[in-house]
Amino acid sequence: MKRELLTLATIVLVVLQTACTTISIEESNFLNPDQKVQITKLRKIEQTATTEDITINGFDDVTLSGTLIKVDDAQATVIYFGGNQFRVSVAGGKPAQQILPMNVNILMVDHRGYGNSEGTPTIENLKRDALSVYDYVATRTDLKSTPTILHGHSLGSMIAGYVASERPADALVLEGSITNVKQMTSQRMPWFVKPFVEVNFSDELARVDNLKVVESFTAPLLIITGEDDTQTPPALAETLYQHALSKQKQLYIVKGKHHGNALTGDKLQLHYQRLVMQLKAKKS
């Protein structure tokens, strides 16, 4: 309901500002269906796709729930970490349909405290849970033989970056990522208020630093951001790319896209497939 009221308020504001301009209001302004993982849609992309509901024990035995999508002859296994409030049952279908054409397995897990996962979320808990998810993949005989790609969106990019610093990831995808919270805040704060505002960060947030991660990460790296992203501005992605140590790094700034839809860019497959090819070349 809050989303619908915000949409209506926005429309009213636009009407007041545009006087006699004609505005079309569509059903899509009010209807926002869940984008859950649907096997019928996945098999239109890859005929061999199957889904499996999985549970993983977190570091403190909290049960984490997710979905594993498998394909025949997978080129890699993507561990996808979603953004804030990401739920596989609500939003998992969107990234799955965008990534699946690369002929990869995809594992998506609800953050603790969200969706079907138990527990209470904190930054430290989510980071430790992410290691449990990685370790789960490493113990499955049907997954550990494929290269592992860590893919994080927004909040999930912080988590993916952390895992990449703690485990031997074969590739890393940072989508809508920050460098660190200090730089992100500075980018979003108007210049004229900076002299008058002091921002204090909790120790947990201050330790989140993907800039440090990419400065030591040597495997293939893909950085994705929307051209119109106001939450994590493209300047942050450009900084990550400039400081990245990897010799196999890519920066994809998606024209006309924002924080939540960069994966729908028309050149995503080109960049993602290049990442997968880099893994194949490394393996051979």
Side-chain angles (χ1 to χ4, degrees):
M1 180 58 71
K2 288 183 179 179
R3 181 184 296 175
E4 286 80 358
L5 289 175
L6 180 59
T7 300
L8 183 58
T10 302
I11 291 171
V12 171
L13 179 61
V14 171
V15 169
L16 292 175
Q17 292 179 337
T18 55
C20 297
T21 300
T22 300
I23 297 176
S24 298
I25 301 176
E26 308 292 341
E27 286 183 326
S28 59
N29 295 126
F30 297 92
L31 302 177
N32 297 281
D34 291 347
Q35 298 287 335
K36 60 185 177 182
V37 176
Q38 297 183 32
I39 191 61
T40 53
K41 290 186 177 180
L42 297 181
R43 284 186 175 161
K44 289 180 180 178
I45 301 171
E46 171 51 60
Q47 294 182 7
T48 66
T50 60
T51 59
E52 175 186 347
D53 293 331
I54 59 102
T55 57
I56 298 172
N57 289 330
F59 69 93
D60 54 357
D61 289 329
V62 162
T63 299
L64 308 174
S65 298
T67 296
L68 172 64
I69 302 166
K70 289 182 59 181
V71 298
D72 289 353
D73 302 318
Q75 302 298 304
T77 295
V78 176
I79 304 177
Y80 179 85
F81 298 104
N84 185 33
Q85 298 187 354
F86 174 81
R87 298 169 176 81
V88 178
S89 61
V90 173
K94 293 180 68 176
Q97 290 171 46
Q98 298 300 325
I99 300 171
L100 193 62
M102 269 53 78
N103 193 40
V104 293
N105 303 319
I106 306 169
L107 175 61
M108 296 181 287
V109 178
D110 288 334
H111 301 308
R112 69 164 56 204
Y114 295 97
N116 294 320
S117 290
E118 300 174 347
T120 301
T122 66
I123 294 296
E124 289 303 309
N125 283 347
L126 297 185
K127 288 162 62 177
R128 295 177 70 180
D129 286 343
L131 296 180
S132 298
V133 174
Y134 178 97
D135 293 340
Y136 170 83
V137 170
T139 60
R140 282 192 56 147
T141 56
D142 56 340
L143 300 179
K144 66 180 183 181
S145 60
T146 61
T148 301
I149 300 174
L150 303 176
H151 182 145
H153 171 237
S154 193
L155 170 65
S157 72
M158 307 177 195
I159 298 169
Y162 171 74
V163 177
S165 70
E166 297 290 325
R167 296 290 190 270
D170 296 297
L172 176 62
V173 180
L174 299 176
E175 176 195 351
S177 177
I178 67 169
T179 48
N180 50 53
V181 291
K182 183 177 181 179
Q183 285 195 10
M184 181 189 72
T185 304
S186 177
Q187 283 286 335
R188 296 180 64 181
M189 187 181 299
W191 65 268
F192 52 83
V193 304
K194 290 180 182 179
F196 309 102
V197 177
E198 180 180 352
V199 181
N200 295 315
F201 305 103
S202 69
D203 291 340
E204 292 79 11
L205 285 175
R207 285 195 292 267
V208 174
D209 196 336
N210 271 350
L211 194 57
K212 284 187 177 180
V213 171
V214 300
E215 287 175 340
S216 60
F217 188 76
T218 59
L221 170 68
L222 172 57
I223 301 169
I224 305 171
T225 188
E227 179 185 46
D228 300 328
D229 190 338
T230 57
Q231 295 187 51
T232 52
L236 298 177
E238 292 170 346
T239 299
L240 287 171
Y241 181 79
Q242 291 163 3
H243 285 257
L245 179 63
S246 174
K247 295 181 179 179
Q248 297 175 302
K249 60 183 180 179
Q250 302 177 69
L251 174 62
Y252 179 30
I253 300 179
V254 193
K255 291 184 178 180
K257 303 299 181 181
H258 51 75
H259 189 69
N261 66 353
L263 280 189
T264 61
D266 58 3
K267 294 182 180 179
L268 174 74
Q269 291 191 28
L270 173 67
H271 290 279
Y272 221 111
Q273 195 61 51
R274 184 179 298 160
L275 185 82
V276 173
M277 290 299 102
Q278 289 170 342
L279 292 177
K280 290 184 68 175
K282 182 180 178 180
K283 188 175 181 181
S284 61

